[in-house]
Amino acid sequence: IAITPNSSGTGTISITAPNTNTNRTIALPDVAGNVVTTGDTGTVTGTMIGSLPTGSIVQVVHDSASEQTLAQGTVTAVYNTQITPSAIGNKIFFMVTIPSVTISATNRRITCDGYIGTSATPASNTKLITLNAMGGIGTGADNTVTSTMISGEFTTASTSVHYASLTITTPSNASCTVARHSAISRIIVWEKSS
């Protein structure tokens, strides 16, 4: 089949059939629109695909931080990472890895709290997890360290910006250093369809 263009066009569009020994039917849908080919770019949109299967990863956001020294008796937001959910009811997950934690006094621990919600203030959001972690004792030259990992899950109630946060509370009588010895702490936040 050869299709000639209107008066301003000079090319011809040809539709050809391959050599086949089997009868095949190709049905065109009863809707207006464009036919997409393997050489096409930019025609397919999200509305053409429809909804994703439950549990599909919709988006991933990540952040990292280098070595930080936290004063004694303080609460520090190490991460307050933003993610904007694509739909109400989707799940937001996060995972934080804090390598190389050292504390300046013996038998002391830090408290790591993970939050998710729509407030930029971590403690105003839903606390998903609390973890107490002992640190290795010593100076910056000491390689005796502890690593900590926390994770959590949250169901979105809006498509407003959400904050996945990690705060670290130091003891009243000891400072701590996280990601010591040039290590890198990381947070990964991802959204899954519901």
Side-chain angles (χ1 to χ4, degrees):
I1 299 174
I3 302 172
T4 57
N6 60 28
S7 58
S8 63
T10 59
T12 300
I13 296 173
S14 298
I15 299 174
T16 60
N19 292 327
T20 180
N21 295 319
T22 305
N23 293 333
R24 309 232 185 248
T25 300
I26 299 173
L28 295 175
D30 187 17
V31 293
N34 296 325
V35 175
V36 179
T37 69
T38 56
D40 188 25
T41 59
T43 299
V44 177
T45 65
T47 56
M48 294 168 71
I49 297 171
S51 60
L52 294 170
T54 299
S56 296
I57 295 177
V58 177
Q59 62 175 316
V60 178
V61 178
H62 58 89
D63 200 359
S64 62
S66 55
E67 181 176 316
Q68 297 178 61
T69 298
L70 312 178
Q72 63 187 43
T74 60
V75 179
T76 304
V78 177
Y79 289 109
N80 205 20
T81 302
Q82 296 183 22
I83 187 168
T84 303
S86 60
I88 294 172
N90 280 357
K91 303 281 188 185
I92 295 178
F93 297 82
F94 76 96
M95 182 176 66
V96 181
T97 303
I98 305 287
S100 304
V101 179
T102 61
I103 298 178
S104 63
T106 56
N107 297 322
R108 301 292 184 267
R109 65 185 64 211
I110 59 172
T111 301
C112 302
D113 292 310
Y115 302 87
I116 294 183
T118 55
S119 173
T121 304
S124 297
N125 293 325
T126 302
K127 185 189 290 188
L128 298 178
I129 192 165
T130 296
L131 175 71
N132 292 313
M134 295 292 287
I137 308 305
T139 66
D142 188 351
N143 290 315
T144 304
V145 294
T146 299
S147 295
T148 299
M149 185 178 78
I150 68 170
S151 61
E153 172 189 336
F154 182 79
T155 302
T156 62
S158 75
T159 54
S160 300
V161 173
H162 283 58
Y163 297 84
S165 309
L166 173 75
T167 64
I168 295 180
T169 304
T170 57
S172 61
N173 54 358
S175 62
C176 90
T177 301
V178 296
R180 176 154 259 172
H181 307 301
S182 301
I184 299 292
S185 64
R186 301 184 190 282
I187 184 171
I188 301 173
V189 186
W190 64 98
E191 177 188 3
K192 283 189 173 183
S193 59
S194 58

